[in-house]
Every structure is written in structure tokens, then in C-alpha cells.
Amino acid sequence: MMCRNDDQVQGGGDREHESSSGDPGSGDRGSGDRGADPAFSALLEDSAEDLYEHAPCGYLSTLMDGTIAKINTTLLEWLGFRRAELVGRRRFSDLLTVGGRIYHETHLAPMLAMHGRVDGLALELRCTDGTRLPVLVTSVVKAGSDGTAQLIRTTIFDARERRAYEQELLRARRAADYERDRVQKLAATLQRTLLPPTLPAVPGVEVAAYYHPASADEVGGDFYDLFPLAGGSWGFFLGDVSGKGAPAAAVTSLTRYTLRAAAVYDPDPLSVLGNLNTVLHQGHRGAGARFCTVIYGALLPESSGAALTVAAGGHPPALLIRADGTLTAIDTPGGMLVGALADAVFTGANVHLDPGDTLLLYTDGLTEARIHDRERFGEERLREFLRAFGPTTAPALTAAVTELLTGFGDGVDDDVALLALSIPSAPHQ
């Protein structure tokens, strides 16, 4: 309480007035000077009852059975009730929504009984006008002098602004999820147009393929295809376009259809890559760099296997697993990136696939996958894996490499395409 007489209060006010008029800068002297103002002092001397009744939060005291024993004016005004309608007549659970009452009985009441306290529970109270008031509730059990629980004191905070903020965040998240789903569906649809839906059946040859996109949100630049040519031969290719997204998709589409058209015009692999290089390099003008790595091959099934001619431009060599388990890389040294230079040079190789042989083409996303945190899988580990795998077939080998990729988890951060061809083993006599 204030312990000074009127003269002291008046004198203090005069001195403050004189100081203010004599020193223009003396108005910012802090709360020490303001304490001499009677009106300000009166604000500091609010009664405990007034602080309880008009606190910026709701206060509620209930008996152990939930009957309301005391409630402050703030909470009454929020809900629209009169004190006489609640005190001694209603329970705290009566103020809750249906869902809130269920939660009160199954969670809040048992937690109070076990721990004597609950903090920050989100509930909704029913107002007299039919609206719902989102609140955060903290309750504490108070015991009497004999240690027996006597009542529950509850503090209630208005959570309308928080709820509105959470709902706005939820709307924004739903919108973002919808947009992400739309982009992913668009990317998946576009990706499917850049890959053959199924591989055709090649007489006397087993074929299998696999594609792993590094991102569901972007179209990858890896591609493969297998298609018939004149004279019973078949063309196939696998490659990797630089970049991601729509620009890479455009180059991938151009590359696939150019390879098919070039193969029909002249199936020789070196000629096919030469024509593709011309088309991609001419597209540089005004469209940015367009280049890719690729292996193109021509396959002619025979009674004793298949004759194979391949050419590569800047791509990892195809790996051949012979029927006896030995591993051979079909090297095409000196093959340049396709589309990077107008006079790019490509090299080819001829090989015969015998019964039991399997050929694997892959993109560098496989060998650049990370294992042991940051260490790359690498070409040598891939070859060790294939040597240990031994003689196989195209479907079995593709399934094994797919399982290998799955084991890398998040370490696969680039697209991976696989294409395998195998000649069935000769039946035992």
C-alpha cells in the first residue's frame, strides 16, 4: 500500500513539473520518476481480486468432480455466460465440445489423477452463441492441509490467433502438397513418354530394362530403347543427356527420335552417332548446350547366338558376362561426347554373343552412387559385383542390380538406366 500523505504526493508532483519545464530532456528518466505520478501509482496498486478477474487469460477452479467453484470475468466474457449459470451448477467438461469431453475423460482427467498436472492441452470451448473457442489449457491439482486433493486450478489461454495461424499454415501446406503432386504427376507422365512402355520380344534373345529416377519432381535425362530394323536386325541404345527437367526432356526426346530415324536411314552404329551428333550440335545455336553420352548397337540374332556391333560416344563401356562367368568390357576408346563438337569422332566394336552370354548397358548414376557416406560405388566395384554374380540372364542381372541400387538408399542421387540382353543357354542334350 501507499504510505505517503497528500502533501508528499503534491510536492513530488510539483518537483517533477519543475524538472520537466527546466530540462527538455528530463522526460525520459524511466519508471523511477513515473512512480511519483498518482495515477500511475494507482495502476500499480491493483488488488489481487481485480488482477484475477480481469487477467488476460481465463481462470477456473473446480472441485475434484469437475464442478465449477470459481471462474473469472475474462473467461465468462469469452464464453458469454453469467457467473450464476456456471458456479456450482455446471462442470468444466460441460463447457467443452463433444470431442473435447471425450478427450477430457480419456486423457485429461486420468493425467491429472496420475501426475497432478497437465500443460498446454489444446481444447475447444463452446460459447453461448454457438461458436467454438480454441484454447490451451493448463491444470494443477491443489491439495488441502491433510494432503488430500481438494480442487483443480485451471488456466485457459485464448488460442484463436494461434489456431488461425495453424490453419493458414495447413492451407499453405496443402496447396504446396497439391502443387508437388501435380508436378510429380506431370514429371512421371513426361518421363513415360521418353521411355518405351515395354520392350519388344526379340527372337532368340532375352531382354530386360530398368529405370530409376533420382527425383520425383524432375524429368531425368537417362534414356534407352530397343526397336526392329530391316533384315531381321534390331537397334538398341542407352544414354544420358546433360541436365535435368524440361530442357533435358526436350533433348532426350530429340535424341531418341533422331537415333531411331538415323538407324532406319543407315543402321551402321558409327553413322547413327554421326547423324545424331550433327543434329544436336546444330541445335546449340540460341538453345544452350545440347549433348549426351550414348551407346548405340545393332543386333542380328543367329542360330548360334547373335552378332553385335556397337559404337559409343563418351559413355561407360558395355559389360559382357560370358557363359563361363568371365567379365569383358566392350571398349570403344576415344569416343567423344555426342553433340559437343561438330567434328566429333566415334569408335565401334564387333562382338558375338554366344549362348549363356549377357550384355549390360548402364548409365553413370549406378557407378556414381554413394556408399559408406560419401564414397562412390565406382566402376571397379561394379565389375567385382558382376564377376561374383557369374553367368546369368538379362532379367536376373537387371533384378540383381536393381536390388543393389535399393541397398544404396539415399546414396543414389542421379538417374540410373539399365538395359540388358542375353542369349539363352543351349539346352542340355
Side-chain angles (χ1 to χ4, degrees):
M1 294 181 61
M2 303 281 292
C3 299
R4 45 190 184 173
N5 57 36
D6 292 341
D7 291 337
Q8 290 174 318
V9 172
Q10 182 66 39
D14 292 341
R15 284 192 297 274
E16 183 178 7
H17 177 74
E18 292 170 359
S19 175
S20 298
S21 62
D23 181 2
S26 63
D28 293 329
R29 295 195 177 183
S31 60
D33 287 343
R34 295 194 66 185
D37 183 352
F40 185 75
S41 298
L43 291 175
L44 295 176
E45 294 300 323
D46 284 342
S47 66
E49 185 66 20
D50 184 65
L51 289 174
Y52 174 85
E53 290 294 340
H54 301 97
C57 59
Y59 287 124
L60 182 73
S61 297
T62 65
L63 304 181
M64 294 307 297
D65 66 356
T67 301
I68 298 173
K70 189 175 182 181
I71 185 171
N72 74 340
T73 301
T74 299
L75 186 53
L76 288 170
E77 291 177 349
W78 286 352
L79 300 178
F81 285 100
R82 291 181 291 108
R83 197 180 306 271
E85 295 178 289
L86 299 181
V87 176
R89 300 173 64 88
R90 306 283 289 274
R91 297 186 179 186
F92 173 59
S93 59
D94 296 333
L95 304 179
L96 300 173
T97 60
V98 174
R101 287 198 294 271
I102 295 174
Y103 188 82
H104 180 275
E105 296 300 324
T106 58
H107 291 78
L108 195 151
M111 289 172 66
L112 281 173
M114 292 178 60
H115 306 292
R117 182 184 184 95
V118 294
D119 292 292
L121 291 182
L123 296 172
E124 285 188 330
L125 302 181
R126 294 183 301 135
C127 302
T128 56
D129 62 3
T131 60
R132 295 183 176 188
L133 174 66
V135 295
L136 295 177
V137 173
T138 295
S139 296
V140 179
V141 175
K142 291 296 182 182
S145 58
D146 60 353
T148 304
Q150 298 292 327
L151 57 84
I152 301 171
R153 289 181 179 171
T154 299
T155 304
I156 300 175
F157 296 94
D158 184 346
R160 282 175 291 193
E161 290 189 4
R162 172 173 172 168
R163 175 67 60 83
Y165 175 68
E166 290 173 345
Q167 290 176 342
E168 182 61 31
L169 286 179
L170 181 60
R171 283 193 294 269
R173 179 172 181 175
R174 286 174 176 169
D177 289 344
Y178 172 80
E179 182 63 20
R180 184 181 65 251
D181 291 343
R182 189 186 69 83
V183 169
Q184 289 179 352
K185 289 178 181 178
L186 178 62
T189 301
L190 181 56
Q191 190 74 67
R192 285 194 295 270
T193 67
L194 301 178
L195 299 171
T198 58
L199 293 176
V202 180
V205 181
E206 295 178 302
V207 296
Y210 173 74
Y211 180 80
H212 172 82
S215 171
D217 299 328
E218 285 190 313
V219 182
D222 291 9
F223 59 91
Y224 63 85
D225 205 350
L226 173 66
F227 50 95
L229 295 172
S233 65
W234 293 79
F236 65 90
F237 56 79
L238 178 141
D240 183 2
V241 166
S242 61
K244 300 286 184 183
V251 178
T252 299
S253 180
L254 174 64
T255 299
R256 290 185 68 243
Y257 291 110
T258 300
L259 283 170
R260 275 179 166 258
V264 171
Y265 176 74
D266 185 348
D268 176 69
L270 292 177
S271 298
V272 170
L273 292 191
N275 288 327
L276 174 62
N277 185 77
T278 299
V279 171
L280 292 184
H281 189 266
Q282 287 178 344
H284 281 189
R285 301 169 185 174
R290 292 183 177 183
F291 56 85
C292 67
T293 68
V294 65
I295 289 183
Y296 175 83
L299 179 75
L300 179 62
E302 300 174 341
S303 59
S304 60
L308 176 69
T309 302
V310 298
H315 201 83
L319 299 178
L320 175 60
I321 304 175
R322 290 293 188 181
D324 61 2
T326 58
L327 179 70
T328 303
I330 302 178
D331 289 321
T332 51
M336 301 179 179
L337 285 175
V338 183
L341 299 173
D343 54 352
V345 176
F346 307 107
T347 56
N350 297 313
V351 65
H352 194 272
L353 299 183
D354 299 319
D357 292 351
T358 300
L359 184 72
L360 175 66
L361 286 71
Y362 61 93
T363 55
D364 59 8
L366 172 59
T367 53
E368 292 183 359
R370 289 177 289 105
I371 60 173
H372 309 310
D373 295 331
R374 296 186 177 182
E375 188 177 354
R376 299 292 181 182
F377 181 56
E379 295 279 351
E380 188 54 41
R381 282 194 180 91
L382 174 61
R383 298 187 184 193
E384 290 175 1
F385 173 82
L386 296 178
R387 290 190 188 99
F389 197 76
T392 184
T393 64
L397 181 59
T398 302
V401 178
T402 299
E403 184 177 356
L404 177 68
L405 284 167
T406 302
F408 294 154
D410 294 336
V412 184
D413 49 18
D414 194 7
D415 307 310
V416 178
L418 307 174
L419 178 62
L421 310 170
S422 62
I423 307 299
S425 299
H428 296 289
Q429 300 296 329

